[in-house]
Amino acid sequence: MPKELNKIYEPQEVEDRIYKMWEENGCFKGRRDPDKKPFTIVMPPPNVTGQLHMGHAMDSTLQDILIRFKRMEGYAALWVPGTDHAGIATQIKVEEELRKNEGLTRYDLGRDKFLERVWEWKKKYGNRIVEQQKKLGASCDWSRARFTMDEGLSKAVRHVFVSLYKKGLIYKGSRIINWCPHCVTALSDAEVEYKDKPGHLWHLKYPIKGEKGRYVIVATTRPETMMGDTGVAVNPNDERYKDLVGKTCILPLMDREIPIVADEYVDMEFGTGCVKMTPAHDPNDFEVGLRHNLETIRVLDDNGKVNANGGKYEGMDRYEARKAVIADLDQMGLLEKTEDHAHNVGTCYRCGTDVEPIISAQWFVKMEPLAKEALRVVNEGEVQFVPDRFSKTYTNWMENVHDWCISRQLWWGHQIPAWTCQDCGHITVSEEDPTECEHCRSHHIKQEEDVLDTWFSSALWPFSTLGWPEQTEDFKYFYPTDVLVTGYDIIFFWVARMIFSACEHTGKPPFHTVFIHGLVRDDKGRKMSKSLGNGIDPLEMADKYGADALRFNLVTGNSPGNDMRFYTERCEAMRNFANKIWNASRFLMMNLTIDKCELPEHLELEDKWILSKLNRVIPEVTENMEKFELGVAAQKVYDFIWDSYCDWYIELTKARLQGEDQEAKTNAQKVLCYVLTETLKLLHPFMPYITEEIWQALPHEGDFLMLQKWPEHHVSLDFPEEEKAMELIMDAIRGIRTRRAEMNVPPSKKAHLTVATLERDVFTAGIPFLKRLASASDVEVVPFIEGQAEQEGQVTIVTHAAQISIPLGELVDLEKEKARVQKELDKNKKLLTGLQGKLSNPGFVSKAPANVVEAERERAAKLTALIDKLESQLKNM
């Protein structure tokens, strides 16, 4: 016998219990099965510092929907979870705690002791986000959870570094890199966000050596770096300066002689057409410097302060130095003029500080050779983006990619596996820690202090998590993975790097589909942020409305690649939807006497209608799921449950359920139970908790809904004729109900119906429904005659298959109703007269805003239509 459901659905009580049941019974485990096709998703690893925010909730929900769907479709489904060590973010977090609680810096502790503290912090807080994901119903195989610095992944990182180094694809070199003086570390190009900021263009006079009174005027936005100038460049085609090329000028403030060189890089139209060259602090100047053999002098230190090369400005912050330099040049008469100039300034994506381009010895990955294959797999469709427009974002970046700076001046992360010999200078790169220099065998070797960019390890995530570089059984079976679900904001950071890394190291792309979703914004369309204080905690939403309601809100508001607005009210609406399903299921169970859920041999018209509707919804939802149109799929399931099953089918079966005919009663129960069970399967990926709870209470075979077979279309359950017939009857019922509601007639007041139709058999079969659901005392079905006039004293409802008449006197007191309609008519005529006067006044039409005039015109049109309708009603009376 079926179990009873509680009177009210309480998600807080149900969710933890159901999740525990799934976990304890190994429902989430990814198992290799030679008879099944694998379907693998790797979770974008959230930062170990993280707390679940709405973006994570969206990410997690979409992945869980896909994995639950594929699991039910019969795939060997595996969703690999894990967390990222998040270099800068984690180190800053621990350093802040140290400073606040103990007044110490990492240097006071030293590297080893500091790293111990970070591991302790990771142990304490690193699991927080995992527990939060579980609350939302994430069906990951938690037994396979990985961490980017666990032993296996660290081994993969070393293997890749050594492999790329041996192929000549990793090198150490002095290059201009992006440097954050606040985080005190290098940043890759992808970690720099450009912002338009107001600034100035200063025109400075550099005296030409040996030509008293003659100057070369350079325009610069960064006078604080001029102490590092080692040349001035002009365009070789610029007639104004042809005679200056090859001469030297004197660098003001430093009194240093610097050459004037000709280079195509210089834009003749910008500023004066003369550009100061600071090879240590500008990537373009660095390239010009290489071509003309200019000296490289760095004048800013790692904290953005002027160093010893900056003369009297040493120790000043870069912006303080800027003011002092300009003041001194002005006093010397060498400041020609100052112009306002807005320009694009690079800022650190993490802390927002202005990034400083500086020359530094760093480690780089050569990108050009790696980009070729990574471009090919996308261009040839081996990897597809959903929506496709994001493939352009990817290919544009890949085609213009610079070498990737992978070293970071941090302690937390994968320390670079390179050891420099203190005796001969040779660098030994090795997977195992060496004890001697491979070149001279000296034991005086020192490991690089820098660590690798966090993205270096997460770039290997799809294959390192499955055991690579070992050829494990998991790697052989589950790799390549299938779908990567992620936001469009990390296509460069992560997606691109995974693709080229996988192609290079495994010879295959890491996945065949990249499913891109947008950001979750607030109800005003703003990005959720701490500064605006408009963040919405997904766990609070789940506690208040249930995880299913939150998930359903996120997915129904979502279309691939587009941002969505989050409305709390929609969580409430989705909780109401959950309650609707719960109440419908309770109603069924209170009327259930069967112990097996199967279709009966004999089906009534309404049974065939609901089965045919369900049979059409199943392939549509399946197709939407396959195309990643998850929001559309969810909406179709919602509409079927709310409208077809709850509002119509349950009502249509009540006469049989409550009647005396035992066979009719049992048959109705069987169809109700079958349709509900199949519908719960369709809804399960979206709302896993409530569907599992209801399914467990229904007669069923098997242990868990989440492991049931996904519903399929059955030709034997297609009933197009019956479906159409039932819809005609329902149209009539809707029309009658609407008209009665307009006339404020209570459902208890029964009235005679005359149905004139060409579909007499259909409406004759529908008489019981018209009596029960359209408050008919009796029903007469007559042939429809074209052009037949409406009878007086009758209320007429027209649908596209019938003309239905109800004697007005059976619905209302005729005189009273006439008086009511007349009063309503007079009121609206008066309103219309006033409105027409306003609209015929030229003063109003010419002076009022266009939208106000348009709104009044629309109001007048609506009033005219209402008056016509009321006059027609009066005439019929």
Side-chain angles (χ1 to χ4, degrees):
M1 286 297 289
K3 300 170 201 164
E4 255 191 57
L5 290 175
N6 291 338
K7 193 169 182 189
I8 293 165
Y9 177 57
E10 290 167 356
Q12 294 74 8
E13 186 274 322
V14 169
E15 289 171 5
D16 289 346
R17 173 169 50 77
I18 291 281
Y19 198 90
K20 194 175 171 208
M21 174 186 81
W22 285 330
E23 255 201 303
E24 284 175 355
N25 288 281
C27 294
F28 305 156
K29 282 230 182 297
R31 295 180 175 87
R32 297 186 304 275
D33 183 337
D35 299 327
K36 287 183 176 182
K37 269 181 80 173
F39 182 86
T40 318
I41 295 180
V42 290
M43 174 191 287
N47 288 355
V48 74
T49 55
Q51 291 237 47
L52 198 78
H53 57 63
M54 209 50 94
H56 290 129
M58 163 72 89
D59 221 39
S60 187
T61 297
L62 296 177
Q63 290 171 81
D64 194 47
I65 289 168
L66 289 173
I67 211 81
R68 285 180 184 273
F69 167 58
K70 289 293 176 183
R71 198 182 279 124
M72 291 175 82
E73 273 204 314
Y75 287 83
L78 169 64
W79 183 13
V80 181
T83 46
D84 193 296
H85 67 278
I88 296 178
T90 309
Q91 181 161 315
I92 286 174
K93 205 105 175 167
V94 178
E95 284 193 79
E96 276 172 5
E97 278 198 4
L98 258 184
R99 193 179 66 247
K100 261 199 314 218
N101 302 339
E102 300 172 50
L104 298 172
T105 69
R106 61 177 158 137
Y107 299 103
D108 295 327
L109 289 185
R111 186 170 192 140
D112 292 345
K113 283 268 179 281
F114 176 74
L115 288 178
E116 277 175 28
R117 290 290 187 95
V118 187
W119 278 107
E120 277 169 29
W121 190 93
K122 189 257 171 193
K123 209 170 174 184
K124 192 172 173 186
Y125 296 110
N127 226 26
R128 182 173 53 185
I129 198 155
V130 168
E131 292 310 310
Q132 291 171 334
Q133 284 170 319
K134 289 182 177 183
K135 283 265 180 219
L136 292 186
S139 61
C140 308
D141 184 345
W142 296 109
S143 67
R144 296 167 183 269
R146 302 303 298 267
F147 176 53
T148 46
M149 279 178 63
D150 69 27
E151 194 185 336
L153 269 64
S154 299
K155 188 179 172 186
V157 165
R158 276 207 173 184
H159 180 80
V160 165
F161 187 95
V162 173
S163 159
L164 290 174
Y165 183 78
K166 285 183 175 165
K167 291 174 186 170
L169 292 172
I170 282 183
Y171 64 92
K172 189 177 188 181
S174 285
R175 284 274 182 282
I176 290 282
I177 49 122
N178 307 299
W179 185 268
C180 176
H182 176 263
C183 297
V184 198
T185 187
L187 300 171
S188 73
D189 291 344
E191 291 166 312
V192 179
E193 289 177 349
Y194 288 91
K195 293 177 182 165
D196 275 327
K197 293 193 177 184
H200 296 96
L201 195 59
W202 289 276
H203 292 247
L204 315 178
K205 293 155 79 172
Y206 287 15
I208 292 166
K209 192 187 174 192
E211 297 188 31
K212 202 169 180 215
R214 192 177 179 199
Y215 302 92
V216 60
I217 297 169
V218 299
T220 182
T221 57
R222 312 201 50 228
E224 68 276 13
T225 63
M226 67 176 283
M227 295 80 76
D229 286 4
T230 56
V232 169
V234 298
N235 193 296
N237 304 312
D238 198 331
E239 295 296 333
R240 294 171 293 177
Y241 306 118
K242 272 215 159 122
D243 70 313
L244 290 181
V245 176
K247 294 183 177 178
T248 59
C249 57
I250 306 300
L251 177 65
L253 307 177
M254 304 306 287
D255 210 27
R256 189 167 67 237
E257 198 176 324
I258 57 175
I260 299 168
V261 299
D263 198 280
E264 294 277 358
Y265 154 71
V266 180
D267 179 357
M268 294 189 282
E269 307 298 317
F270 182 75
T272 61
C274 301
V275 185
K276 70 187 209 61
M277 289 289 117
T278 323
H281 292 281
D282 183 281
N284 296 310
D285 295 5
F286 180 77
E287 296 299 330
V288 174
L290 288 179
R291 288 196 286 274
H292 298 277
N293 213 13
L294 300 178
E295 199 182 343
T296 301
I297 301 172
R298 183 174 159 181
V299 293
L300 294 175
D301 70 10
D302 289 354
N303 299 297
K305 289 188 161 67
V306 178
N307 64 17
N309 292 330
K312 70 176 207 176
Y313 306 101
E314 184 182 355
M316 285 186 184
D317 171 77
R318 52 188 170 158
Y319 296 121
E320 194 189 332
R322 177 181 288 183
K323 288 177 188 161
V325 164
I326 289 300
D328 289 348
L329 289 169
D330 197 16
Q331 207 176 354
M332 294 165 71
L334 296 176
L335 178 62
E336 173 80 359
K337 63 173 176 175
T338 306
E339 292 175 338
D340 286 338
H341 175 69
H343 58 136
N344 233 354
V345 178
T347 60
C348 172
Y349 83 110
R350 189 161 295 285
C351 69
T353 304
D354 287 0
V355 165
E356 194 60 55
I358 58 170
I359 191 155
S360 175
Q362 300 285 347
W363 290 85
F364 295 86
V365 173
K366 254 188 210 164
M367 283 304 303
E368 198 191 349
L370 294 168
K372 285 192 179 84
E373 181 64 1
L375 274 166
R376 184 195 69 75
V377 295
V378 171
N379 288 335
E380 294 184 9
E382 285 179 42
V383 176
Q384 295 187 328
F385 281 78
V386 176
D388 182 54
R389 67 177 185 272
F390 288 102
S391 59
K392 293 277 176 294
T393 310
Y394 169 89
T395 52
N396 287 345
W397 189 74
M398 239 354 155
E399 282 162 359
N400 300 293
V401 74
H402 297 134
D403 284 0
W404 173 19
C405 174
I406 53 169
S407 40
R408 296 288 179 273
Q409 290 61 48
L410 303 168
W411 287 354
W412 173 243
H414 297 100
Q415 200 170 344
I416 291 173
W419 288 258
T420 304
C421 179
Q422 306 301 290
D423 294 332
C424 75
H426 177 79
I427 295 175
T428 303
V429 169
S430 166
E431 287 189 46
E432 304 300 327
D433 289 9
T435 53
E436 60 180 28
C437 168
E438 65 184 1
H439 181 66
C440 73
R441 304 293 173 218
S442 161
H443 292 285
H444 299 130
I445 55 172
K446 187 171 185 287
Q447 188 174 0
E448 276 283 339
E449 298 228 329
D450 290 356
V451 299
L452 288 163
D453 177 5
T454 304
W455 298 102
F456 190 91
S457 48
S458 38
L460 318 179
W461 190 250
F463 43 100
S464 60
T465 51
L466 294 170
W468 187 92
E470 306 301 326
Q471 291 295 307
T472 63
E473 292 307 312
D474 271 358
F475 176 71
K476 285 184 218 165
Y477 183 76
F478 288 112
Y479 185 83
T481 71
D482 290 87
V483 180
L484 179 83
V485 179
T486 189
Y488 58 67
D489 48 341
I490 55 172
I491 290 176
F492 315 138
F493 283 123
W494 193 42
V495 179
R497 288 170 179 165
M498 279 190 288
I499 293 174
F500 74 67
S501 300
C503 290
E504 176 66 20
H505 304 300
T506 71
K508 295 170 185 171
F511 28 70
H512 56 72
T513 303
V514 182
F515 175 26
I516 300 282
H517 61 77
L519 305 177
V520 184
R521 297 180 175 275
D522 72 4
D523 55 1
K524 295 179 181 68
R526 299 172 304 177
K527 195 170 177 176
M528 291 188 189
S529 68
K530 277 184 191 164
S531 55
L532 285 173
N534 64 341
I536 297 168
D537 181 354
L539 295 168
E540 257 177 54
M541 292 291 107
D543 281 344
K544 191 171 178 184
Y545 301 107
D548 284 335
L550 170 63
R551 287 168 64 115
F552 214 75
N553 183 359
L554 287 169
V555 73
T556 48
N558 176 269
S559 62
N562 294 328
D563 293 351
M564 72 165 282
R565 292 187 182 200
F566 188 90
Y567 297 97
T568 307
E569 309 84 75
R570 289 191 76 243
C571 272
E572 207 170 321
M574 296 316 165
R575 182 182 60 189
N576 294 344
F577 175 53
N579 289 338
K580 180 101 170 171
I581 302 161
W582 188 258
N583 292 335
S585 304
R586 282 191 77 243
F587 169 79
L588 169 59
M589 285 173 198
M590 288 190 293
N591 287 282
L592 213 55
T593 56
I594 57 171
D595 52 16
K596 198 170 181 195
C597 208
E598 59 186 0
L599 287 175
E601 282 181 26
H602 177 71
L603 296 170
E604 298 292 348
L605 175 65
E606 65 271 31
D607 300 336
K608 289 179 177 177
W609 168 75
I610 193 73
L611 290 167
S612 198
K613 290 276 280 188
L614 172 66
N615 211 25
R616 211 148 27 81
V617 164
I618 289 167
E620 284 180 16
V621 168
T622 307
E623 187 186 349
N624 292 137
M625 297 286 267
E626 299 286 5
K627 288 180 174 174
F628 302 97
E629 295 162 349
L630 307 188
V632 178
Q635 191 63 50
K636 283 179 182 170
V637 179
Y638 175 97
D639 291 342
F640 178 80
I641 292 172
W642 191 291
D643 191 42
S644 304
Y645 188 77
C646 296
D647 283 359
W648 279 104
Y649 185 64
I650 287 177
E651 293 303 317
L652 294 168
T653 57
K654 276 182 180 173
R656 282 190 286 160
L657 287 174
Q658 292 154 7
E660 297 302 317
D661 184 335
Q662 201 52 49
E663 190 188 343
K665 191 182 279 196
T666 304
N667 286 354
Q669 290 178 32
K670 284 181 173 179
V671 180
L672 277 162
C673 188
Y674 174 86
V675 174
L676 179 60
T677 302
E678 292 300 289
T679 309
L680 290 174
K681 291 176 191 174
L682 289 179
L683 184 61
H684 177 76
F686 306 101
M687 296 180 106
Y689 289 118
I690 191 170
T691 51
E692 184 74 70
E693 177 76 348
I694 295 168
W695 185 86
Q696 290 291 342
L698 286 168
H700 62 259
E701 288 174 13
D703 297 322
F704 307 99
L705 172 62
M706 70 166 285
L707 300 180
Q708 291 299 297
K709 199 165 177 289
W710 182 253
E712 288 176 348
H713 175 268
H714 298 288
V715 179
S716 60
L717 297 180
D718 278 333
F719 302 109
E721 291 304 312
E722 290 86 343
E723 191 182 340
K724 185 185 162 200
M726 194 69 228
E727 295 283 356
L728 296 180
I729 297 163
M730 287 161 63
D731 276 351
I733 294 168
R734 279 192 204 98
I736 296 163
R737 281 175 165 180
T738 304
R739 179 57 62 87
R740 288 173 64 106
E742 284 169 1
M743 296 170 74
N744 299 316
V745 181
S748 57
K749 194 158 196 177
K750 308 286 182 191
H752 174 82
L753 295 185
T754 304
V755 182
T757 179
L758 298 174
E759 303 277 358
R760 289 178 70 186
D761 290 350
V762 168
F763 281 92
T764 303
I767 288 173
F769 303 123
L770 291 163
K771 281 185 171 179
R772 255 177 44 78
L773 301 177
S775 303
S777 53
D778 56 278
V779 181
E780 185 185 357
V781 181
V782 299
F784 175 74
I785 299 159
E786 191 70 49
Q788 190 172 340
E790 287 184 22
Q791 294 174 355
E792 284 191 16
Q794 297 279 332
V795 173
T796 306
I797 298 108
V798 179
T799 70
H800 67 271
Q803 185 173 299
I804 301 144
S805 307
I806 312 172
L808 189 60
E810 290 190 26
L811 295 178
V812 290
D813 178 322
L814 210 51
E815 292 311 312
K816 263 191 188 170
E817 183 61 13
K818 270 185 186 173
R820 186 191 71 77
V821 173
Q822 186 64 56
K823 191 178 174 187
E824 181 83 357
L825 184 62
D826 294 343
K827 183 185 85 175
N828 284 294
K829 277 185 171 175
K830 195 175 173 187
L831 281 173
L832 182 62
T833 306
L835 206 51
Q836 283 169 335
K838 200 176 181 182
L839 288 167
S840 60
N841 176 356
F844 169 73
V845 176
S846 60
K847 286 177 188 165
N851 62 328
V852 172
V853 176
E854 190 51 41
E856 295 292 69
R857 282 191 178 127
E858 277 180 28
R859 225 178 111 216
K862 282 178 184 169
L863 278 171
T864 305
L866 179 58
I867 288 163
D868 288 348
K869 190 176 175 185
L870 291 168
E871 283 177 338
S872 169
Q873 276 183 24
L874 263 183
K875 187 180 168 214
N876 284 340
M877 286 179 203

